[in-house]
Amino acid sequence: MPDFQQSALIIVDVQNDFLPGGALAVPDGNEVIAPVNILSGMGFAAVIATQDWHPADHCSFTTQDGPWPVHCIAASTGADFPSALHLRPVSHIIHKGMAQDRDSYSAFFDNDHETSTGLDHLLHGLKVSHVVVCGLALDFCVAATTRDAMRCGFRTDIALEACRGITSDQAPLLHDLQTHGVGLIKNI
């Protein structure tokens, strides 16, 4: 088993609204739960879970002329973690997308790339030098989190078995991330 004592696992947006039957379901999103549960028990220095945590009138919603259906309203069932996700290993939860006027795909920053969620400071304070990112959706929030992790100075890997995307062809995205130094963990 790899040594993850200076590493953090970042579980991105594994929430009911992103699973089959949810308001913004990622195809086969439920298939990430078992691999995420395995990863979370692998001795990481920190296990961080993120949640989209939107106000009811969030700018990203189609009801506000945004691109997405209403999803992950703060404290709603849709914003909850699924019951099958093991939460005991989770040391910190980061809420994102809380401001009405801007979205937040990344676990590190709102989409304005200036407003921090505090995750970078938390991880640096914990002396973490490496992050493994997994969750939903690979082509949006996982990718944004991965890019920002690199910008914040963390060695960064994506656990592919524990990710699903909205689009079917992830190869161009993964190639782009690899050319920017992101590692791909293919098997857990």
Side-chain angles (χ1 to χ4, degrees):
M1 182 161 79
D3 180 4
F4 291 121
Q5 292 182 5
Q6 291 184 311
S7 302
L9 177 65
I10 303 174
I11 304 167
V12 178
D13 298 353
V14 179
Q15 297 170 262
N16 290 325
D17 269 349
F18 296 125
L19 301 181
L24 185 51
V26 175
D28 303 319
N30 57 315
E31 293 179 4
V32 306
I33 296 171
V36 166
N37 286 342
I38 291 168
L39 281 166
S40 69
M42 293 181 76
F44 285 89
V47 176
I48 315 297
T50 72
Q51 287 177 296
D52 261 11
W53 205 251
H54 298 311
D57 62 347
H58 194 255
C59 66
S60 73
F61 298 160
T62 53
T63 56
Q64 304 295 317
D65 297 321
W68 306 113
V70 174
H71 65 281
C72 297
I73 302 292
S76 70
T77 301
D80 283 345
F81 297 114
S83 60
L85 185 67
H86 297 170
L87 295 177
R88 175 172 259 156
V90 173
S91 55
H92 302 84
I93 295 173
I94 299 290
H95 290 151
K96 59 193 194 64
M98 297 186 301
Q100 184 279 330
D101 63 336
R102 65 185 174 273
D103 209 353
S104 183
Y105 292 167
S106 170
F108 288 90
F109 297 97
D110 284 357
N111 288 1
D112 65 2
H113 303 289
E114 294 176 13
T115 307
S116 174
T117 64
L119 181 55
D120 55 334
H121 300 294
L122 171 67
L123 294 175
H124 285 298
L126 293 170
K127 307 289 190 243
V128 165
S129 58
H130 170 243
V131 297
V132 175
V133 184
C134 62
L136 304 170
L138 176 59
D139 38 358
F140 286 91
C141 297
V142 171
T145 296
T146 300
R147 287 182 182 110
D148 281 346
M150 294 288 292
R151 276 187 224 124
C152 290
F154 299 103
R155 191 168 52 86
T156 305
D157 293 314
I158 295 177
L160 293 177
E161 245 185 288
C163 295
R164 293 296 180 276
I166 293 174
T167 59
S168 58
D169 184 9
Q170 302 295 329
L173 168 69
L174 295 175
H175 176 74
D176 178 63
L177 291 171
Q178 280 187 292
T179 61
H180 287 91
V182 174
L184 304 180
I185 300 171
K186 297 183 181 175
N187 298 305
I188 298 171

